[in-house]
Amino acid sequence: MGEIVEQVYMTLVSAISLVFFGGVAFYIMHASNGRWRDYERLYAATDLPKPIGKKMTGMVRISQPGYRFGHLSGDVKSHRHPPVMVGVYPHGLSLSIVPPFKYGCRDLFLPFDKMTIEPAAWDLLKNEYGVRMEGVDGIEILMFSNILQWAAERSEILALMLQRAKVLRGLQRT
């Protein structure tokens, strides 16, 4: 009889522990994706046609504009989203976090007519770009320059935005 009580006790403790740590994991994932959800409110993707091109990025970072060095800059909500799939369309870009990191995040569609590309610095990298969208003030999506240059080869509108950002970067250095 004592062994049965011990087994029931261990099962109960294990179940409570799993629920507790599962809740902590859910909270961390939910809190980490807060900035992504800021974009989802206005730019959640609906049915998208076949893209002109798709490419996997190393990651994107959603944070405040300007030079930031992660959480050391005081931007506690800054978050790096590991691998993100970028799609190029005639009228915009799509961003989709790759599973299993996608939990709770819908795909985004960023239309070119509401987008500006700004020069940005990401940690020690100084030649990156920030994507700013109308209606989502105070934060930007930072992407590696090679991804945006790849996308610009497939979209004339994006190529013009990148040229503008390069001119701005040159003016800032002088």
Side-chain angles (χ1 to χ4, degrees):
M1 180 74 175
E3 293 177 14
I4 295 174
V5 170
E6 186 177 342
Q7 288 295 327
V8 169
Y9 172 75
M10 293 303 292
T11 302
L12 184 62
V13 168
S14 298
I16 291 172
S17 298
L18 283 173
V19 168
F20 174 76
F21 287 113
V24 169
F26 173 79
Y27 175 76
I28 290 170
M29 288 188 296
H30 185 75
S32 296
N33 294 326
R35 291 270 170 94
W36 188 277
R37 283 191 306 278
D38 289 342
Y39 278 91
E40 275 182 0
R41 289 183 191 112
L42 295 172
Y43 300 107
T46 55
D47 296 329
L48 294 173
K50 183 175 167 97
I52 296 170
K54 263 188 153 177
K55 188 169 185 171
M56 179 96 61
T57 68
M59 69 176 71
V60 299
R61 179 175 144 196
I62 301 178
S63 67
Q64 297 171 347
Y67 179 74
R68 301 286 175 201
F69 197 74
H71 299 307
L72 298 177
S73 65
D75 185 7
V76 182
K77 289 181 77 178
S78 171
H79 186 68
R80 294 170 185 189
H81 296 277
V84 174
M85 185 69 72
V86 174
V88 181
Y89 295 85
H91 302 291
L93 296 175
S94 69
L95 300 177
S96 176
I97 298 175
V98 176
F101 307 104
K102 186 177 182 155
Y103 180 77
C105 296
R106 293 182 291 175
D107 297 345
L108 301 177
F109 180 75
L110 309 175
F112 291 138
D113 61 345
K114 297 184 187 247
M115 176 188 299
T116 58
I117 305 290
E118 300 291 335
W122 181 347
D123 295 341
L124 300 176
L125 305 171
K126 305 231 184 266
N127 294 323
E128 306 308 326
Y129 297 101
V131 176
R132 296 185 192 173
M133 300 299 295
E134 287 180 18
V136 188
D137 299 325
I139 56 177
E140 67 185 357
I141 300 172
L142 289 130
M143 290 189 205
F144 291 123
S145 59
N146 62 340
I147 294 300
L148 281 176
Q149 289 166 354
W150 168 85
E153 292 171 3
R154 285 144 184 83
S155 170
E156 189 176 329
I157 297 169
L158 190 57
L160 291 171
M161 286 189 214
L162 281 181
Q163 285 178 355
R164 177 193 163 273
K166 286 178 187 177
V167 168
L168 285 176
R169 181 174 280 132
L171 291 174
Q172 289 173 352
R173 289 184 181 164
T174 58

